[in-house]
Amino acid sequence: MSETAAPRTAAVDDYIKAIYAVYERGEGPASTTALAKRLGVGASSVSGMLKKLTDQGLVEHRPYGGVRLTDDGTRAALDVLRRHRLLETYLVRELGYGWDEVHDEAEVLEHHVSSTLLDRMDARLGHPRFDPHGDPIPAADGTVADFAGRRFATLEPGDRGRLVRVDDTEPAMLTWLREQAVELGVTLELLARRPFGGPFQVRVSGPAPDADLDLGPELADALWVDDVVEGVFHRAPAT
């Protein structure tokens, strides 16, 4: 992946990475409110930075229409995401970090690691396509592996799928999942959904003995599954 013409600040990297993450998850153009929540800053700070990013040609910001990355912005975002996700993968595989410990470390290191070191880490890891949370790792040429998962919260009772991705913005959530032996590759089956915004009743099947858990709506929405098999409760009758 080529370097941008002018050096980027850590703040610029954080913003373009957040904008891309919103787009990557199929949520459309990023809103000022969504970025403020994701970055933990005030809406006025977001507005000021978006003006700078627009002046630098990295984003297009239309009032009430959200924020989109330009082609230059997308290339820059993929560059910083490659750094972040390779660092997370290296910390887990080579240094024994937990998936709940790596995000903040990578946030610091991604702004300082050289391209040479990053390429050697990539080779050492065997050129992984996904990081410990299931996020695609951009290749050196900017290509990104396809991802076809869906949010667990969209399933119906009786559906089950393989856990392939977890949103990593809340380390405490990742810690709780690890303590419950919920990791990438386990099968999640939706047993029932309590009404009025109640919890999802979930069966977890994997290397550990099967376990039934109650997951709140926010947590269920942070889990992504693929290879979904529909349950018998809502299949269309055979014709």
Side-chain angles (χ1 to χ4, degrees):
M1 186 176 298
S2 63
E3 300 287 340
T4 54
R8 302 188 308 267
T9 65
V12 167
D13 281 356
D14 290 342
Y15 270 83
I16 59 177
K17 183 173 61 178
I19 295 167
Y20 186 89
V22 172
Y23 162 79
E24 182 182 41
R25 285 162 172 75
E27 299 170 13
S31 68
T32 299
T33 302
L35 290 173
K37 180 179 179 181
R38 190 174 188 89
L39 294 166
V41 298
S44 60
S45 296
V46 173
S47 297
M49 177 56 79
L50 290 180
K51 185 179 185 306
K52 294 180 181 178
L53 296 177
T54 300
D55 292 343
Q56 293 177 24
L58 297 174
V59 304
E60 295 176 352
H61 183 207
R62 299 175 182 175
Y64 310 107
V67 184
R68 294 181 184 273
L69 293 169
T70 62
D71 288 345
D72 285 344
T74 298
R75 283 190 290 270
L78 290 173
D79 174 63
V80 69
L81 281 169
R82 172 174 165 78
R83 294 168 179 272
H84 183 93
R85 293 173 179 175
L86 272 174
L87 283 163
E88 288 189 330
T89 306
Y90 190 87
L91 290 170
V92 168
R93 292 194 191 177
E94 300 294 322
L95 300 182
Y97 277 67
W99 72 348
D100 53 328
E101 300 175 309
V102 294
H103 181 75
D104 289 345
E105 294 278 16
E107 284 283 302
V108 175
L109 295 171
E110 69 191 27
H111 306 298
H112 306 289
V113 64
S114 71
S115 296
T116 300
L117 177 57
L118 197 74
D119 289 342
R120 293 190 180 185
M121 291 168 59
D122 187 23
R124 170 78 177 184
L125 293 167
H127 307 290
R129 299 172 68 213
F130 297 91
D131 75 5
H133 309 107
D135 291 322
I137 300 174
D141 62 1
T143 57
V144 182
D146 291 335
F147 178 80
R150 55 187 283 196
R151 292 190 183 273
F152 184 76
T154 66
L155 269 57
E156 298 289 341
D159 290 353
R160 66 181 184 274
R162 180 173 61 98
L163 182 64
V164 293
R165 189 181 201 174
V166 179
D167 292 345
D168 64 348
T169 54
E170 293 290 342
M173 179 191 71
L174 294 169
T175 300
W176 186 85
L177 290 171
R178 175 173 53 81
E179 292 171 348
Q180 309 305 315
V182 177
E183 59 188 23
L184 298 187
V186 302
T187 296
L188 302 180
E189 180 181 359
L190 180 57
L191 303 177
R193 172 75 191 277
R194 295 300 185 189
F196 310 114
F200 292 70
Q201 294 181 302
V202 181
R203 177 159 297 154
V204 182
S205 304
D210 289 3
D212 292 350
L213 301 173
D214 285 346
L215 304 182
E218 183 177 0
L219 179 49
D221 198 51
L223 307 179
W224 298 73
V225 293
D226 71 0
D227 298 333
V228 173
V229 177
E230 290 188 347
V232 297
F233 303 130
H234 60 92
R235 283 182 183 158
T239 57

PDB file of all heavy atoms in Angstrom, residues 1 16 20 23 57-59 68-81 142:
ATOM      1  N   MET A   1       0.858  -1.197   0.000  1.00  0.00           N
ATOM      2  CA  MET A   1       0.000   0.000   0.000  1.00  0.00           C
ATOM      3  C   MET A   1       0.883   1.231   0.000  1.00  0.00           C
ATOM      4  O   MET A   1       1.813   1.330   0.784  1.00  0.00           O
ATOM      5  CB  MET A   1      -0.893  -0.014   1.249  1.00  0.00           C
ATOM      6  CG  MET A   1      -1.911   1.096   1.269  1.00  0.00           C
ATOM      7  SD  MET A   1      -2.975   0.918   2.724  1.00  0.00           S
ATOM      8  CE  MET A   1      -3.726  -0.651   2.387  1.00  0.00           C
ATOM      9  N   ILE A  16     -10.405   9.089   9.983  1.00  0.00           N
ATOM     10  CA  ILE A  16     -10.673   8.391   8.729  1.00  0.00           C
ATOM     11  C   ILE A  16     -10.896   6.896   8.985  1.00  0.00           C
ATOM     12  O   ILE A  16     -11.681   6.250   8.291  1.00  0.00           O
ATOM     13  CB  ILE A  16      -9.559   8.622   7.688  1.00  0.00           C
ATOM     14  CG1 ILE A  16      -8.205   8.143   8.201  1.00  0.00           C
ATOM     15  CG2 ILE A  16      -9.514  10.087   7.281  1.00  0.00           C
ATOM     16  CD1 ILE A  16      -7.077   8.273   7.178  1.00  0.00           C
ATOM     17  N   TYR A  20     -14.360   4.972   7.959  1.00  0.00           N
ATOM     18  CA  TYR A  20     -14.342   3.739   7.165  1.00  0.00           C
ATOM     19  C   TYR A  20     -15.030   2.599   7.906  1.00  0.00           C
ATOM     20  O   TYR A  20     -15.744   1.791   7.304  1.00  0.00           O
ATOM     21  CB  TYR A  20     -12.906   3.336   6.827  1.00  0.00           C
ATOM     22  CG  TYR A  20     -12.836   2.145   5.891  1.00  0.00           C
ATOM     23  CD1 TYR A  20     -12.844   2.328   4.515  1.00  0.00           C
ATOM     24  CD2 TYR A  20     -12.797   0.843   6.384  1.00  0.00           C
ATOM     25  CE1 TYR A  20     -12.796   1.244   3.643  1.00  0.00           C
ATOM     26  CE2 TYR A  20     -12.763  -0.247   5.532  1.00  0.00           C
ATOM     27  CZ  TYR A  20     -12.758  -0.048   4.165  1.00  0.00           C
ATOM     28  OH  TYR A  20     -12.731  -1.134   3.327  1.00  0.00           O
ATOM     29  N   TYR A  23     -18.735   2.769   7.420  1.00  0.00           N
ATOM     30  CA  TYR A  23     -19.070   2.325   6.058  1.00  0.00           C
ATOM     31  C   TYR A  23     -18.899   0.817   5.912  1.00  0.00           C
ATOM     32  O   TYR A  23     -19.739   0.134   5.314  1.00  0.00           O
ATOM     33  CB  TYR A  23     -18.180   3.065   5.058  1.00  0.00           C
ATOM     34  CG  TYR A  23     -18.118   2.408   3.697  1.00  0.00           C
ATOM     35  CD1 TYR A  23     -19.145   2.570   2.774  1.00  0.00           C
ATOM     36  CD2 TYR A  23     -17.022   1.613   3.342  1.00  0.00           C
ATOM     37  CE1 TYR A  23     -19.095   1.956   1.530  1.00  0.00           C
ATOM     38  CE2 TYR A  23     -16.970   0.996   2.103  1.00  0.00           C
ATOM     39  CZ  TYR A  23     -18.006   1.175   1.208  1.00  0.00           C
ATOM     40  OH  TYR A  23     -17.954   0.566  -0.015  1.00  0.00           O
ATOM     41  N   GLY A  57      -8.982  17.115   1.343  1.00  0.00           N
ATOM     42  CA  GLY A  57      -9.430  16.251   0.265  1.00  0.00           C
ATOM     43  C   GLY A  57      -9.634  14.797   0.672  1.00  0.00           C
ATOM     44  O   GLY A  57      -9.665  13.910  -0.192  1.00  0.00           O
ATOM     45  N   LEU A  58      -9.799  14.541   1.975  1.00  0.00           N
ATOM     46  CA  LEU A  58      -9.946  13.170   2.456  1.00  0.00           C
ATOM     47  C   LEU A  58     -11.405  12.751   2.615  1.00  0.00           C
ATOM     48  O   LEU A  58     -11.714  11.550   2.584  1.00  0.00           O
ATOM     49  CB  LEU A  58      -9.219  12.995   3.798  1.00  0.00           C
ATOM     50  CG  LEU A  58      -7.698  13.193   3.750  1.00  0.00           C
ATOM     51  CD1 LEU A  58      -7.109  13.132   5.153  1.00  0.00           C
ATOM     52  CD2 LEU A  58      -7.042  12.157   2.848  1.00  0.00           C
ATOM     53  N   VAL A  59     -12.313  13.721   2.801  1.00  0.00           N
ATOM     54  CA  VAL A  59     -13.726  13.381   2.973  1.00  0.00           C
ATOM     55  C   VAL A  59     -14.601  14.353   2.197  1.00  0.00           C
ATOM     56  O   VAL A  59     -14.179  15.457   1.839  1.00  0.00           O
ATOM     57  CB  VAL A  59     -14.158  13.399   4.468  1.00  0.00           C
ATOM     58  CG1 VAL A  59     -13.297  12.487   5.308  1.00  0.00           C
ATOM     59  CG2 VAL A  59     -14.163  14.821   5.020  1.00  0.00           C
ATOM     60  N   ARG A  68     -18.538  10.940   3.761  1.00  0.00           N
ATOM     61  CA  ARG A  68     -17.978   9.865   2.945  1.00  0.00           C
ATOM     62  C   ARG A  68     -16.500  10.143   2.710  1.00  0.00           C
ATOM     63  O   ARG A  68     -16.090  11.298   2.562  1.00  0.00           O
ATOM     64  CB  ARG A  68     -18.685   9.777   1.589  1.00  0.00           C
ATOM     65  CG  ARG A  68     -20.154   9.365   1.655  1.00  0.00           C
ATOM     66  CD  ARG A  68     -20.737   9.296   0.254  1.00  0.00           C
ATOM     67  NE  ARG A  68     -22.162   8.990   0.257  1.00  0.00           N
ATOM     68  CZ  ARG A  68     -22.663   7.761   0.264  1.00  0.00           C
ATOM     69  NH1 ARG A  68     -21.837   6.726   0.268  1.00  0.00           N
ATOM     70  NH2 ARG A  68     -23.968   7.569   0.266  1.00  0.00           N
ATOM     71  N   LEU A  69     -15.729   9.077   2.649  1.00  0.00           N
ATOM     72  CA  LEU A  69     -14.325   9.218   2.289  1.00  0.00           C
ATOM     73  C   LEU A  69     -14.179   9.408   0.786  1.00  0.00           C
ATOM     74  O   LEU A  69     -14.895   8.788   0.000  1.00  0.00           O
ATOM     75  CB  LEU A  69     -13.544   7.973   2.713  1.00  0.00           C
ATOM     76  CG  LEU A  69     -13.408   7.720   4.215  1.00  0.00           C
ATOM     77  CD1 LEU A  69     -12.863   6.323   4.458  1.00  0.00           C
ATOM     78  CD2 LEU A  69     -12.499   8.758   4.859  1.00  0.00           C
ATOM     79  N   THR A  70     -13.254  10.259   0.386  1.00  0.00           N
ATOM     80  CA  THR A  70     -12.886  10.360  -1.023  1.00  0.00           C
ATOM     81  C   THR A  70     -11.979   9.174  -1.370  1.00  0.00           C
ATOM     82  O   THR A  70     -11.634   8.356  -0.510  1.00  0.00           O
ATOM     83  CB  THR A  70     -12.130  11.668  -1.287  1.00  0.00           C
ATOM     84  OG1 THR A  70     -10.912  11.650  -0.516  1.00  0.00           O
ATOM     85  CG2 THR A  70     -12.960  12.880  -0.883  1.00  0.00           C
ATOM     86  N   ASP A  71     -11.579   9.074  -2.625  1.00  0.00           N
ATOM     87  CA  ASP A  71     -10.649   8.005  -3.007  1.00  0.00           C
ATOM     88  C   ASP A  71      -9.347   8.115  -2.215  1.00  0.00           C
ATOM     89  O   ASP A  71      -8.806   7.104  -1.734  1.00  0.00           O
ATOM     90  CB  ASP A  71     -10.357   8.068  -4.506  1.00  0.00           C
ATOM     91  CG  ASP A  71     -11.549   7.630  -5.348  1.00  0.00           C
ATOM     92  OD1 ASP A  71     -12.483   7.024  -4.785  1.00  0.00           O
ATOM     93  OD2 ASP A  71     -11.546   7.904  -6.570  1.00  0.00           O
ATOM     94  N   ASP A  72      -8.837   9.354  -2.070  1.00  0.00           N
ATOM     95  CA  ASP A  72      -7.618   9.542  -1.278  1.00  0.00           C
ATOM     96  C   ASP A  72      -7.864   9.177   0.182  1.00  0.00           C
ATOM     97  O   ASP A  72      -7.006   8.576   0.841  1.00  0.00           O
ATOM     98  CB  ASP A  72      -7.141  10.991  -1.366  1.00  0.00           C
ATOM     99  CG  ASP A  72      -6.491  11.313  -2.703  1.00  0.00           C
ATOM    100  OD1 ASP A  72      -6.144  10.360  -3.441  1.00  0.00           O
ATOM    101  OD2 ASP A  72      -6.330  12.515  -3.006  1.00  0.00           O
ATOM    102  N   GLY A  73      -9.039   9.541   0.683  1.00  0.00           N
ATOM    103  CA  GLY A  73      -9.375   9.213   2.060  1.00  0.00           C
ATOM    104  C   GLY A  73      -9.494   7.719   2.298  1.00  0.00           C
ATOM    105  O   GLY A  73      -9.061   7.201   3.330  1.00  0.00           O
ATOM    106  N   THR A  74     -10.060   7.025   1.325  1.00  0.00           N
ATOM    107  CA  THR A  74     -10.189   5.567   1.440  1.00  0.00           C
ATOM    108  C   THR A  74      -8.822   4.906   1.445  1.00  0.00           C
ATOM    109  O   THR A  74      -8.562   3.988   2.247  1.00  0.00           O
ATOM    110  CB  THR A  74     -11.042   5.013   0.289  1.00  0.00           C
ATOM    111  OG1 THR A  74     -12.354   5.574   0.361  1.00  0.00           O
ATOM    112  CG2 THR A  74     -11.139   3.497   0.369  1.00  0.00           C
ATOM    113  N   ARG A  75      -7.931   5.340   0.576  1.00  0.00           N
ATOM    114  CA  ARG A  75      -6.581   4.770   0.556  1.00  0.00           C
ATOM    115  C   ARG A  75      -5.871   5.008   1.881  1.00  0.00           C
ATOM    116  O   ARG A  75      -5.194   4.117   2.409  1.00  0.00           O
ATOM    117  CB  ARG A  75      -5.774   5.360  -0.605  1.00  0.00           C
ATOM    118  CG  ARG A  75      -6.120   4.778  -1.968  1.00  0.00           C
ATOM    119  CD  ARG A  75      -5.125   5.223  -3.026  1.00  0.00           C
ATOM    120  NE  ARG A  75      -5.276   6.634  -3.332  1.00  0.00           N
ATOM    121  CZ  ARG A  75      -6.071   7.109  -4.279  1.00  0.00           C
ATOM    122  NH1 ARG A  75      -6.817   6.280  -4.993  1.00  0.00           N
ATOM    123  NH2 ARG A  75      -6.151   8.405  -4.519  1.00  0.00           N
ATOM    124  N   ALA A  76      -6.039   6.202   2.426  1.00  0.00           N
ATOM    125  CA  ALA A  76      -5.401   6.510   3.702  1.00  0.00           C
ATOM    126  C   ALA A  76      -6.005   5.679   4.837  1.00  0.00           C
ATOM    127  O   ALA A  76      -5.291   5.185   5.716  1.00  0.00           O
ATOM    128  CB  ALA A  76      -5.550   8.004   4.014  1.00  0.00           C
ATOM    129  N   ALA A  77      -7.323   5.506   4.819  1.00  0.00           N
ATOM    130  CA  ALA A  77      -7.986   4.713   5.853  1.00  0.00           C
ATOM    131  C   ALA A  77      -7.533   3.260   5.791  1.00  0.00           C
ATOM    132  O   ALA A  77      -7.298   2.624   6.836  1.00  0.00           O
ATOM    133  CB  ALA A  77      -9.501   4.805   5.689  1.00  0.00           C
ATOM    134  N   LEU A  78      -7.416   2.703   4.594  1.00  0.00           N
ATOM    135  CA  LEU A  78      -6.962   1.322   4.456  1.00  0.00           C
ATOM    136  C   LEU A  78      -5.527   1.163   4.947  1.00  0.00           C
ATOM    137  O   LEU A  78      -5.165   0.127   5.526  1.00  0.00           O
ATOM    138  CB  LEU A  78      -7.072   0.875   2.998  1.00  0.00           C
ATOM    139  CG  LEU A  78      -8.506   0.703   2.480  1.00  0.00           C
ATOM    140  CD1 LEU A  78      -8.496   0.429   0.974  1.00  0.00           C
ATOM    141  CD2 LEU A  78      -9.228  -0.419   3.216  1.00  0.00           C
ATOM    142  N   ASP A  79      -4.718   2.179   4.748  1.00  0.00           N
ATOM    143  CA  ASP A  79      -3.343   2.153   5.234  1.00  0.00           C
ATOM    144  C   ASP A  79      -3.307   2.062   6.755  1.00  0.00           C
ATOM    145  O   ASP A  79      -2.607   1.213   7.325  1.00  0.00           O
ATOM    146  CB  ASP A  79      -2.590   3.402   4.758  1.00  0.00           C
ATOM    147  CG  ASP A  79      -1.197   3.485   5.354  1.00  0.00           C
ATOM    148  OD1 ASP A  79      -0.372   2.602   5.074  1.00  0.00           O
ATOM    149  OD2 ASP A  79      -0.933   4.443   6.120  1.00  0.00           O
ATOM    150  N   VAL A  80      -4.066   2.904   7.440  1.00  0.00           N
ATOM    151  CA  VAL A  80      -4.032   2.897   8.903  1.00  0.00           C
ATOM    152  C   VAL A  80      -4.722   1.653   9.456  1.00  0.00           C
ATOM    153  O   VAL A  80      -4.301   1.096  10.476  1.00  0.00           O
ATOM    154  CB  VAL A  80      -4.633   4.195   9.477  1.00  0.00           C
ATOM    155  CG1 VAL A  80      -6.122   4.286   9.241  1.00  0.00           C
ATOM    156  CG2 VAL A  80      -4.334   4.306  10.975  1.00  0.00           C
ATOM    157  N   LEU A  81      -5.764   1.176   8.780  1.00  0.00           N
ATOM    158  CA  LEU A  81      -6.425  -0.055   9.230  1.00  0.00           C
ATOM    159  C   LEU A  81      -5.510  -1.259   9.064  1.00  0.00           C
ATOM    160  O   LEU A  81      -5.522  -2.176   9.902  1.00  0.00           O
ATOM    161  CB  LEU A  81      -7.728  -0.275   8.457  1.00  0.00           C
ATOM    162  CG  LEU A  81      -8.910   0.563   8.925  1.00  0.00           C
ATOM    163  CD1 LEU A  81     -10.055   0.463   7.926  1.00  0.00           C
ATOM    164  CD2 LEU A  81      -9.378   0.128  10.302  1.00  0.00           C
ATOM    165  N   GLY A 142      -3.825  -2.690  -0.965  1.00  0.00           N
ATOM    166  CA  GLY A 142      -5.094  -2.020  -0.697  1.00  0.00           C
ATOM    167  C   GLY A 142      -6.319  -2.875  -0.892  1.00  0.00           C
ATOM    168  O   GLY A 142      -7.433  -2.415  -0.631  1.00  0.00           O
TER     169      GLY A 142
END
